Amino acid sequence: MAKGLQGFLWTMLLLFCAIQEMGVWAMHTAVESPGLGQPGDPALLAGGRVKRGWVWNQFFVVEEYTGTEPLYVGKIHSDSDEGDGSIKYTISGEGAGTIFLIDEITGDIHATERLDREQKTFYTLRAQARDRQTDQLLEPESEFIIKVQDINDSEPRFLEGPYIGSVAELSPIGTSVMQVMASDADDPTYGSSARVVYSVLEGEQHFTVDSKTGVIRTAVADLDRETQDRYEVVIRATDMAGQLGGLSGSTTVTIVVTDVNDNPPRFPQKMYQFSIVETAPVGTAIGRVKAEDSDVGENTDMTYQVKDEEGVEMFKVTTDSNTQEAVISIQKPLDYESKKVHTVVVEALNKFVDPRFVDLGTFRDQTIVRVSVLDVDEPPEFRPPSNLMEVQEDAHVGSVVGIVTALDPDTANHPVRYAIDRSTDTERIFDIDANTGAIVTGKVLDRETAGWHNITVLAMEADNHSQVSRASLRIRILDVNDNPPELATPYEAAVCEDAKPGQLIQTISVVDRDEPQSGHRFYFTLAPEATNNHHFSLLDIKDNTAAVHTQRVGFNRQEQDVYLLPILVVDSGPPALSSTGTLTIRICGCDSNGAIQSCNSTAYVVSATLSPGALIALLVCILILVVLVLLILTLKRHHKSHLTSEDDEDMRDNVIKYNDEGGGEQDTEAYDMSALRSLYDFSEIKGGDGGGGTGEGIPSGNPASELHALPQWVQSPDLDFSLFRDYICKKVEQADEDLSVPPYDSFQTYAFEGSDSPVPSLSSINTWSSGSEQDFSYLGVWGPRFRQLAALYAGRRGEEDSEES
């Protein structure tokens, strides 16, 4: 049948082409342009211009020709052709010589290849008519077109696929889903080959398509996403306007049914059971429940709430945003002894409700949650939870401060024992009775040292000390008047010598370590020992201060430059306590304006009481002074012993030069004068005579025997020192009677020589004379220090004797 249809179509096309060839169109082309012929062509120029023209039909060729013979296209002909074969026809241009061939004699054109209009719709060629003998153009070259005749050989195609659309569930009938469009490659201007119509091949039960526009719409109103969330619809496009013999193409359209909130939440169970220990802290999660919702996306977002009053007080429900679960947690502490089971009604409802579906029912659901409380062994509880106690600071050791009470909350009601956490009472100021909980004082209290005490009391089961409760206790120490008032500072004041009576000297204030509830009230007066004072007066100002004024005219700091004024201060008790403080008043010189110029630098009398720091500093200073004195004495002794040892060892002669009248003890450091002094101790010499002899018979080893070696003037019988002795004794008596002389021993030097001395001069000037009869040999017996001197004089004497001789 298909072959018969194809033959019928080819027959109709050939008939159409024959009808077109029956009509003749003449085209006359005037050869006026020089470019159409050869220059100097005699055929064109002989006898002037000759009007010639082409004659041919409109050319068409049917596409997709499948015959075995070349397909006749048409015929070109010149009106100058007489049929004698003298004209040769040729063609050039697109497909000339390959696709299209021409008969040179007749001008018939045939197509030798199968053409496709969808690839190329027409071909442009040029025709030439030439003289066969001379090959000259007889007609101007003319252009003609061969059109490819369309046939319905292309089916419609959906070029934009695959198609995916969506539509909300429960949409009304006729709701537009999407639009599809097919394209046909055939010629839309020729016949109905490109006229496409649409239809539904599969899915027509739920969707329809507009045959002209390709718009897909819903065919039912009960699309349910929860039942089927997508549909595969096949759409067909047919050309030839859907007539018999038209070609068609199809595509599959996926239509997704989107969700709407048309389903309420539902709990899978009507009751849930959980258990938790009674000691669980507030905020502990008990469990989770979840209501199911067939919807998706935000349509499943839910909130939960507790509906019953008891549950609202004891429990709290929150929503987990990730899992949409209800989290049930404790809102108040649980107590097994009070209630063992709690019943909670939990309700779930959609967060976003679509008003279009309210008539479908309530979008909420409820369930019951039973919470069982488990019993545990709990520590004792303090009752009542009072944490403040008070006690007087003068309370005796062992006085009761207060009583704490704790009970075992369990049904067993175990006995309770008490203790104090010693880390909070390291000094053990308080004790507690382990059985009664009575807190007593363990030491003497002092509010001024510590006015508050914070301790921790422990309560534990007698049989299980691991069950311990703690309670913080604040103990306030109440004040009693046990501290006397004292002057605020060691007051010192200055008064001008020309002060007037009634002049304010100093304002006195006091401090008291006590804190009476009614406040401080102090009274000021002069101490009893100052009642006869006529210099200063004290005025109590009645505001816990007092003023000191002068009471007489003028003061004289030469007579007395410091006054000590004792002041008695008494508080208001009870009992009333007092203390005496001293005001130091200095008398100073002032200028005419009353400005102090100078005060005596004498030491002022201050309070005998010193602070511990000042006392320690004073003792340290004294100790340092003692150490320095001992060090100096030690060094001095060491120095003297060193010098003595040097004198003993050093036997060299020393020549000392003196430029003053006496150097005191410093001279003896260079030379030991004891040997010389012994030579002039005449009392010892006389005692050694044994009866006043001349001493000639005394051995040379006796010190008295050295007198024989002295010069003859020393042994003069007229030698008398009484004058010097009397002078020195007189001076000593005058020094003892003089009261202005310091009371300690001193060495006095006197520049007194007495009358002229009978002793001749010791000078050696006269020894240069030749008549000298002195003998210096006696110097040798004076000791090793004079031997060298004796040798020098002895040697010079020998030289003089030799010269004389």
Side-chain angles (χ1 to χ4, degrees), residues 399-657:
S399 300
V400 177
V401 180
I403 299 176
V404 293
T405 303
L407 300 176
D408 186 5
D410 298 323
T411 55
N413 195 15
H414 296 97
V416 178
R417 297 292 180 264
Y418 303 93
I420 294 177
D421 186 353
R422 288 305 173 187
S423 64
T424 61
D425 185 24
T426 56
E427 298 181 2
R428 294 183 175 270
I429 299 175
F430 300 97
D431 293 321
I432 190 171
D433 190 296
N435 297 318
T436 64
I439 299 175
V440 297
T441 57
K443 288 185 178 181
V444 177
L445 303 177
D446 184 12
R447 188 204 63 82
E448 287 70 34
T449 303
W452 287 88
H453 294 275
N454 298 320
I455 64 174
T456 299
V457 179
L458 309 178
M460 62 198 77
E461 294 182 3
D463 300 333
N464 185 7
H465 288 181
S466 63
Q467 294 297 327
V468 180
S469 294
R470 298 174 179 267
S472 297
L473 186 62
R474 302 171 66 237
I475 300 177
R476 179 182 180 182
I477 309 302
L478 300 179
D479 183 48
V480 296
N481 192 28
D482 57 347
N483 292 280
E486 298 176 352
L487 294 183
T489 60
Y491 286 103
E492 292 187 3
V495 180
C496 296
E497 289 183 296
D498 57 351
K500 303 296 189 295
Q503 181 177 337
L504 176 63
I505 299 176
Q506 183 70 46
T507 300
I508 304 297
S509 62
V510 298
V511 293
D512 195 332
R513 296 177 64 191
D514 296 320
E515 292 183 359
Q517 296 181 356
S518 58
H520 288 289
R521 178 68 181 94
F522 303 109
Y523 305 93
F524 300 85
T525 183
L526 292 177
E529 58 268 25
T531 54
N532 296 327
N533 166 58
H534 302 292
H535 307 292
F536 306 98
S537 63
L538 179 68
L539 176 62
D540 192 342
I541 307 178
K542 307 298 183 182
D543 62 349
N544 293 338
T545 61
V548 179
H549 298 82
T550 58
Q551 200 172 357
R552 71 184 180 91
V553 177
F555 295 89
N556 188 353
R557 58 176 172 168
Q558 299 299 329
E559 296 177 357
Q560 186 174 353
D561 58 354
V562 176
Y563 291 87
L564 302 179
L565 186 64
I567 299 174
L568 179 65
V569 184
V570 184
D571 61 16
S572 57
L577 301 178
S578 64
S579 68
T580 301
T582 302
L583 171 63
T584 303
I585 304 173
R586 294 182 294 164
I587 307 302
C588 303
C590 304
D591 59 11
S592 59
N593 297 325
I596 296 176
Q597 296 294 328
S598 64
C599 298
N600 287 351
S601 59
T602 58
Y604 299 104
V605 180
V606 295
S607 175
T609 58
L610 294 176
S611 63
L615 184 59
I616 293 173
L618 182 60
L619 293 175
V620 171
C621 292
I622 294 174
L623 182 61
I624 293 174
L625 289 176
V626 171
V627 172
L628 289 176
V629 170
L630 294 176
L631 182 60
I632 292 173
L633 293 176
T634 304
L635 292 176
K636 189 172 183 181
R637 287 183 180 180
H638 178 72
H639 187 63
K640 286 185 176 181
S641 62
H642 181 68
L643 291 176
T644 303
S645 62
E646 288 181 353
D647 291 341
D648 294 340
E649 295 176 2
D650 190 2
M651 303 302 293
R652 294 175 298 176
D653 293 335
N654 294 332
V655 178
I656 307 300
K657 178 181 180 181

Side-chain angles (χ1 to χ4, degrees), residues 44-80:
L44 295 176
L45 299 176
R49 293 183 178 271
V50 178
K51 184 178 180 181
R52 298 176 181 176
W54 292 96
V55 179
W56 61 70
N57 297 329
Q58 184 70 33
F59 301 119
F60 292 93
V61 60
V62 180
E63 67 171 334
E64 304 294 344
Y65 172 71
T66 58
T68 58
E69 298 294 332
L71 179 63
Y72 177 77
V73 177
K75 185 182 183 67
I76 61 173
H77 182 71
S78 173
D79 57 0
S80 62

Side-chain angles (χ1 to χ4, degrees), residues 239-262:
D239 59 10
M240 297 297 293
Q243 297 179 4
L244 184 64
L247 303 178
S248 63
S250 62
T251 186
T252 300
V253 179
T254 301
I255 300 176
V256 179
V257 181
T258 59
D259 183 61
V260 296
N261 193 9
D262 60 337

